[in-house]
Amino acid sequence: MRAAVIGLGVEGKKAVNSLLKHGWDVYATDLNMNVDLDGLDLPYLSMNLIEDSQSVSIVGDRITVDLGFSNSYAIEECDAIAISPSMFGGAFANRLLESNELLCDVVCGHRDLFTIGITGTNGKTTTVHMLKSILEDAGRKVLVGGNGGGGFSGYYDLILEANEGDYDILLVEVCDMTLDFANYCFDFDMVGLTNIGNDHMDVHKTIANYKDSLVRFFSNKTIFTAYNQDFNSDFKESASQTIPYFVYQDELKLFGKFNMLNAGLAAAIAKELKVPKDIIRQSLANFNAVEGRLDVYKINDADVYVGKTDNSDALASILAERNFYALFIGTPRHHEEHRLDILDVAVKYNPEVIVLFPGLDDTLDIAIYRLNSLGYMGNIITVNTLDQIIELVAEYSHEDAILIGGNGQETIIEIQERIKLISEKL
């Protein structure tokens, strides 16, 4: 079997890797000749490189990659096509829908599984892992994945694995930017909404637009929304059934009221699936923070909080519960100016020090300008390396609390691993 992968962004590269892993041959293409190929499973590529001023072709044992152009004949020869979720709804994607050439239509075993989606602005990954833990403790065979940005192997990996493995339940993390794509590819039986916050506004433009996307996504499904969630009346009109969930009241290791609400969502879905209450309680009591998500470590006198907080609502939910001497904030990509709102929130809580480091991109100058324009009177420090961050953590480790967050999941995971090692040695 041979598949074409159109677009080599995060999901495209993950699709290539998954197809190769599952025994497919691959033709991959991106019109951007300079697209970053970091993350592709390069051992499959040979050294046969054909390059000119406008295009690049890389030919390997089971893969051909064309950059700067697309070979329409090579695409037509494929058995299935995987497109970037961002292309869904466009003319090319619509043509594929008419001809049933999309990978999710060609490989369709995933549609036979009971499928649960978890979406929202913050807390998706933690909630997915909480629910996975509960269901597995209850003896269910659960396949988990979805949104490549959440640290999973992408939607296409779920589709391919579901077609080959033996599972009872498919549990999908659904990014708020890919609602229509995921709605087409998966037959959701239940959907949980963590929250609606201020993120990806370069795509949604407004919260009202985001809400409308959710209304479409929830249509004729059983949905779980927080008891105090905005727009619940709109969602109720769209969904076939709405079930409220509440703040979890039993033991939980994780910090924050927001995690108690995530646990409440996981518990509500598990309860609806007839999982016994004692299994739910025991599973959540044993649940540890997911890699890269907020966890707390002790360094000398300081509680050091480390985890991705890449939008203003995520940061505000933490700062509302604890005072921090220093905030370390990873900066966003150049085109994601809306994510600089985290600096507005940081200034509102007025820490003594704000340390800026490159998270997704080196946008330190832009972040400094934003802080100065907000009138922040504390100490602004910029660092570029992990060692510099660790040195400052050591310097501030006799204060009460430090928070390291912001943008850049991979960078924050590296910081978290170093902090954990240091904490364990002390």
Side-chain angles (χ1 to χ4, degrees):
M1 297 286 281
R2 185 173 179 83
V5 177
I6 315 298
L8 291 172
V10 172
E11 284 289 340
K13 288 185 284 190
K14 287 181 179 290
V16 168
N17 293 341
S18 296
L19 285 160
L20 292 169
K21 181 181 70 175
H22 285 88
W24 290 61
D25 293 335
V26 176
Y27 171 72
T29 178
D30 197 297
L31 295 180
N32 178 8
M33 188 176 74
N34 299 311
V35 68
D36 182 9
L37 295 182
D38 184 40
L40 275 183
D41 206 341
L42 294 177
Y44 285 100
L45 300 178
S46 73
M47 296 303 294
N48 189 2
L49 176 66
I50 305 168
E51 185 173 8
D52 60 33
S53 61
Q54 295 182 324
S55 64
V56 176
S57 289
I58 307 170
V59 181
D61 184 25
R62 289 169 44 212
I63 181 172
T64 297
V65 180
D66 286 338
L67 304 179
F69 73 104
S70 292
N71 184 331
S72 58
Y73 176 76
I75 296 173
E76 290 171 4
E77 290 295 300
C78 290
D79 301 289
I81 298 175
I83 61 171
S84 166
S86 63
M87 297 174 63
F88 193 82
F92 180 70
N94 289 336
R95 181 177 69 78
L96 297 178
L97 298 186
E98 293 173 1
S99 58
N100 293 317
E101 293 177 86
L102 278 180
L103 183 65
C104 63
D105 290 321
V106 175
V107 179
C108 51
H110 62 289
R111 298 190 188 277
D112 297 329
L113 294 176
F114 189 90
T115 303
I116 304 169
I118 301 295
T119 193
T121 302
N122 299 310
K124 296 184 296 295
T125 303
T126 295
T127 304
V128 162
H129 282 280
M130 285 176 168
L131 184 55
K132 173 180 182 287
S133 177
I134 294 169
L135 294 175
E136 289 183 339
D137 287 346
R140 313 290 176 87
K141 298 176 182 177
V142 186
L143 175 59
V144 176
N147 169 32
F152 296 110
S153 295
Y155 296 116
Y156 291 113
D157 191 68
L158 270 182
I159 291 166
L160 294 166
E161 180 60 29
N163 206 56
E164 298 178 3
D166 178 23
Y167 301 98
D168 302 321
I169 293 175
L170 183 61
L171 181 52
V172 188
E173 176 178 325
V174 181
C175 175
D176 57 282
M177 295 187 294
T178 63
L179 292 169
D180 291 333
F181 171 83
N183 196 36
Y184 179 82
C185 288
F186 300 96
D187 293 335
F188 292 101
D189 296 282
M190 294 178 173
V191 175
L193 175 67
T194 57
N195 47 58
I196 300 175
N198 179 33
D199 197 10
H200 298 142
M201 287 300 128
D202 53 332
V203 175
H204 299 305
K205 307 304 180 185
T206 66
I207 290 292
N209 288 341
Y210 178 19
K211 179 265 294 183
D212 291 341
S213 296
L214 286 168
V215 167
R216 292 196 304 271
F217 184 60
F218 291 158
S219 179
N220 299 317
K221 299 178 179 68
T222 295
I223 68 167
F224 296 76
T225 62
Y227 70 100
N228 59 350
Q229 176 63 60
D230 292 339
F231 311 118
N232 269 339
S233 59
D234 298 83
F235 300 150
K236 188 173 184 179
E237 290 180 9
S238 175
S240 60
Q241 181 184 13
T242 58
I243 300 174
Y245 66 89
F246 302 86
V247 174
Y248 189 64
Q249 298 297 324
D250 288 311
E251 181 184 355
L252 192 69
K253 293 179 182 178
L254 306 188
F255 167 82
K257 295 177 182 176
F258 51 92
N259 274 321
M260 300 300 286
L261 204 53
N262 293 335
L265 172 54
I269 295 174
K271 181 180 177 182
E272 190 68 16
L273 294 174
K274 309 302 182 186
V275 176
K277 290 181 180 179
D278 60 329
I279 292 179
I280 295 173
R281 283 195 296 268
Q282 189 62 42
S283 182
L284 289 175
N286 293 331
F287 185 82
N288 294 306
V290 179
E291 182 183 55
R293 272 47 183 183
L294 192 69
D295 209 349
V296 187
Y297 309 91
K298 194 72 173 181
I299 306 290
N300 294 324
D301 300 322
D303 292 326
V304 182
Y305 294 67
V306 189
K308 188 183 77 162
T309 48
D310 59 0
N311 61 75
S312 57
D313 288 313
L315 183 60
S317 65
I318 298 171
L319 299 186
E321 296 192 48
R322 186 76 192 266
N323 292 321
F324 294 92
Y325 176 82
L327 301 182
F328 292 64
I329 298 176
T331 56
R333 296 184 181 92
H334 283 87
H335 69 277
E336 293 179 327
E337 289 190 15
H338 65 284
R339 284 187 164 178
L340 288 170
D341 287 353
I342 59 176
L343 299 176
D344 299 41
V345 173
V347 169
K348 176 183 175 182
Y349 286 88
N350 197 31
E352 292 289 329
V353 183
I354 294 180
V355 180
L356 301 171
F357 62 91
L360 295 169
D361 275 343
D362 186 349
T363 50
L364 297 178
D365 290 346
I366 298 172
I368 291 170
Y369 180 82
R370 179 69 162 250
L371 287 175
N372 288 329
S373 68
L374 291 167
Y376 175 62
M377 302 301 292
N379 190 15
I380 302 173
I381 299 174
T382 61
V383 295
N384 287 283
T385 68
L386 178 55
D387 286 341
Q388 290 174 320
I389 291 172
I390 298 303
E391 288 174 6
L392 287 176
V393 169
E395 181 179 338
Y396 303 145
S397 65
H398 296 289
E399 303 296 340
D400 185 45
I402 304 166
L403 173 63
I404 304 174
N407 294 268
Q409 177 173 271
E410 292 182 5
T411 301
I412 289 171
I413 288 174
E414 290 181 10
I415 297 169
Q416 195 173 62
E417 289 172 348
R418 280 283 292 276
I419 295 293
K420 183 179 181 181
L421 284 174
I422 295 169
S423 177
E424 290 173 345
K425 290 179 180 178
L426 293 177

